[in-house]
Amino acid sequence: MYVAHERRAYILRLLQQRGTLRSAELAEELNVTDETIRTDLVALQAQGLLERVRGGARYILPRHGSEDAARLHCQLAALARPHLKPGARVYLDHAETALAVIAALAGDTAYTHRPLTLVCPAPELLHRLSAAALPHHLECPGGQLDKESGLLEDAAALATLRVDIALLSPPALRPDAARYPHPLRARWAAAASAAAKRTLLILPAAALEAEAASNAPYAAPLFRPLLLTEDALPPEFDDMPAETVPAITLEDILPERLY
């Protein structure tokens, strides 16, 4: 028997996998009443985690959060929006950043008529995007799955990657390179940045202050980078092109997992 928070976490996992769920099927699967499921769905909808529809619920991309980290993520994602022209091909790097940016585009009819092509070698992220009702095209470069990183690896795909915008969110940064905890993610980021007309780096100020070799030993060279961050820039980044939002003080801003 699930307690309420375990049951609701399970419902969210199912929604991410299936896209939609029926209340009656959930009640039967979880061995609870229809009224219990309705209460769960109402609570999750109030948190902005799903949308209730007739007979069940539909998964939606996260648009906001109550925590400072989630709020900062959405503010930084909003900075990226003007750079994503309708019809562009966009490489996606970090899962939560990608979801926040795409959620920021919701409701803009320009993308309905000219959808983006979202390019990402992470099947899990593409699966999460496909669970929502998006007008955008999803593209996954081919190759074999590297289980450690969760990314597909293919030398030909890396060499022929075609994108207009590289949307990157590395856990640490030097003025000339992004740092990643896995070499394959660094190679994809380098290929995307080299191929793109513009590289957008979405990073909180705490990531800029991180030790270059701390927790992320692999570097990806950057081309034409624009830094989207908080206005508390360390001095070594003063000359780097940047757009900023007001700084938020956080205890732990770096993501715990990459995908």
Side-chain angles (χ1 to χ4, degrees), residues 49-118:
L49 299 173
L50 57 77
E51 179 184 3
R52 294 178 67 208
V53 296
R54 184 178 180 86
R58 180 175 71 87
Y59 176 70
I60 61 174
L61 293 174
R63 288 177 170 80
H64 58 77
S66 59
E67 298 297 324
D68 282 346
R71 186 166 72 252
L72 174 59
H73 223 68
C74 290
Q75 289 176 348
L76 294 177
L79 290 178
R81 177 175 176 167
H83 299 281
L84 304 181
K85 304 304 181 185
R89 294 175 58 83
V90 182
Y91 177 87
L92 303 178
D93 188 53
H94 180 267
E96 299 311 317
T97 298
L99 293 171
V101 169
I102 300 309
L105 305 178
D108 192 327
T109 57
Y111 297 97
T112 303
H113 301 298
R114 296 187 62 201
L116 301 173
T117 296
L118 307 177

Side-chain angles (χ1 to χ4, degrees), residues 8 31 36 44 47 52 58 62 70 74 92 102-103 117 122 125 128 137 150 155 185 200 212 214 224 229 236 249:
R8 291 169 188 177
N31 194 28
T36 296
L44 291 169
Q47 298 175 53
R52 294 178 67 208
R58 180 175 71 87
C74 290
L92 303 178
I102 300 309
T117 296
L125 173 54
R128 292 177 67 180
H137 306 302
R185 191 170 175 224
L200 301 179
S214 174
R224 299 168 293 280
T229 187
E236 57 267 35
T249 301

Side-chain angles (χ1 to χ4, degrees), residues 25-198:
E25 294 172 353
L26 275 174
E28 181 178 355
E29 185 169 344
L30 294 170
N31 194 28
V32 295
T33 65
D34 290 344
E35 183 61 33
T36 296
I37 293 298
R38 281 195 294 271
T39 300
D40 289 337
L41 297 183
V42 168
L44 291 169
Q45 180 175 252
Q47 298 175 53
L49 299 173
L50 57 77
E51 179 184 3
R52 294 178 67 208
V53 296
R54 184 178 180 86
R58 180 175 71 87
Y59 176 70
I60 61 174
L61 293 174
R63 288 177 170 80
H64 58 77
S66 59
E67 298 297 324
D68 282 346
R71 186 166 72 252
L72 174 59
H73 223 68
C74 290
Q75 289 176 348
L76 294 177
L79 290 178
R81 177 175 176 167
H83 299 281
L84 304 181
K85 304 304 181 185
R89 294 175 58 83
V90 182
Y91 177 87
L92 303 178
D93 188 53
H94 180 267
E96 299 311 317
T97 298
L99 293 171
V101 169
I102 300 309
L105 305 178
D108 192 327
T109 57
Y111 297 97
T112 303
H113 301 298
R114 296 187 62 201
L116 301 173
T117 296
L118 307 177
V119 182
C120 180
E124 181 182 339
L125 173 54
L126 291 176
H127 182 75
R128 292 177 67 180
L129 289 168
S130 69
L134 296 168
H136 310 299
H137 306 302
L138 305 179
E139 184 175 308
C140 191
Q144 293 185 337
L145 179 66
D146 176 85
K147 294 182 180 179
E148 183 181 353
S149 67
L151 305 180
L152 297 174
E153 182 174 20
D154 181 81
L158 279 162
T160 59
L161 188 63
R162 185 169 62 87
V163 293
D164 300 307
I165 297 289
L167 183 62
L168 309 180
S169 185
L173 179 67
R174 300 183 320 208
D176 61 339
R179 293 274 182 167
Y180 293 100
H182 195 279
L184 182 55
R185 191 170 175 224
R187 288 199 296 273
W188 275 113
S193 184
K197 299 173 184 175
R198 167 54 62 87

